Amino acid sequence: MNKPLDYIFPDPPAGLDPARLDAERVPQHVAVIMDGNGRWAKKRALNRLRGHKAGIEAVRETIRCASDVGVRYLTIYSFSTENWKRPQDEVVGLMDLFAKTMLAEVDGLDEENVRVRTIGDLSPLPAETRQAFEDAWQQTRDNTGMTLVVAVNYGARQELVQAVRSCVGQALQAQAEGRDPLSAIDEQAIARSLYTADIPDPDLVIRTSGEMRISNFLLWQIAYSEFYCTDVLWPDFNRYDFLRALLDFQGRDRRFGAVK
């Protein structure tokens, strides 16, 4: 943990004690399905893009808090492969928001020793958006603090299809070399072919807005993740909601299929 708990959580709500957080049992990797921006905006008679803009502060606070408590990897689900089906003005606005936000935040993330990377297929994104993510990676790639993983144009089924194709190629190569082609395909080979090949699987998955589904997110990687779902809409999610998720996680008995 990088900073004292009373600094990270200076004004906790009644009944929430940050001192309960065990610094030795903070999850190494937290993944977040950020849901509820549209509903947040609708409740205020605003357009959906205003909700996405409001969610930026929640992203900012979650990154800062996760880094401060010692999370090593934070993955945020920012845009799925299915999100292209949304109204065009919303999609265009999101792409512009991604670029502007990354440009505005990268210096601060760099100062905090955070490394920024992406998972997903960036090729369909507008050039400005792709460049913003690439510049963030280049600027922060040598940082040694928390890794912020932005899942953009990401879909787990598509990721698995890509991994299978890679494994088939490896199997064909093995066959050409006179080896058993099936020996080239196992769990490790698939894991090495994923976007997250060099990232540990999530320990904890947080989903906001009360929904109880995975939404094509990290299907392979979350096989043994703990789930925490909250009714809080994403723009209202703050460091104390994040603390609640961490405390809930630390109350779980993780057996990974074994009996203890």
Side-chain angles (χ1 to χ4, degrees), residues 11 29 45 52 63 94 118-119 122 125 127 129 131 154 176 201 243 255:
D11 189 23
H29 184 178
H52 294 304
I63 293 170
L94 276 169
T118 60
I119 56 173
L122 269 61
L125 273 57
T129 306
Q131 192 62 52
Y154 172 86
D201 292 341
L243 173 61
R255 296 186 297 276

Side-chain angles (χ1 to χ4, degrees), residues 165-178:
R165 287 173 174 166
S166 175
C167 288
V168 168
Q170 295 171 45
L172 292 174
Q173 180 64 32
Q175 185 176 45
E177 295 171 357

Side-chain angles (χ1 to χ4, degrees), residues 6-144:
D6 57 357
Y7 176 88
I8 303 170
F9 305 105
D11 189 23
L16 184 63
D17 183 8
R20 291 172 49 211
L21 186 67
D22 183 350
E24 301 300 318
R25 296 177 58 231
V26 170
Q28 180 179 208
H29 184 178
V30 178
V32 185
I33 303 174
M34 307 177 294
D35 199 9
N37 290 341
R39 272 165 283 178
W40 184 92
K42 185 176 180 180
K43 286 173 62 175
R44 292 159 177 79
L46 302 171
N47 65 41
R48 292 176 58 86
L49 192 57
R50 289 286 296 276
H52 294 304
K53 290 178 179 178
I56 295 300
E57 179 54 38
V59 172
R60 185 180 295 117
E61 178 149 336
T62 300
I63 293 170
R64 187 179 302 117
C65 184
S67 178
D68 285 347
V69 300
V71 171
R72 296 299 302 164
Y73 297 86
L74 175 68
T75 298
I76 56 174
Y77 199 12
S78 61
F79 192 85
S80 75
T81 49
E82 291 73 32
N83 286 157
W84 294 106
K85 301 173 185 176
R86 293 184 175 185
Q88 185 177 13
D89 60 342
E90 182 180 352
V91 171
V92 170
L94 276 169
M95 292 299 152
D96 182 61
L97 183 62
F98 291 153
K100 290 180 178 177
T101 300
M102 201 76 267
L103 290 170
E105 299 293 332
V106 66
D107 287 344
L109 293 170
D110 194 20
E111 290 176 6
E112 292 291 326
N113 199 29
V114 173
R115 183 172 63 158
V116 181
R117 60 169 292 181
T118 60
I119 56 173
D121 178 9
L122 269 61
S123 62
L125 273 57
E128 182 182 9
T129 306
R130 290 199 311 271
Q131 192 62 52
F133 284 123
E134 175 62 24
D135 290 347
W137 163 246
Q138 293 298 334
Q139 181 173 337
T140 66
R141 63 187 302 173
D142 295 327
N143 288 345
T144 58

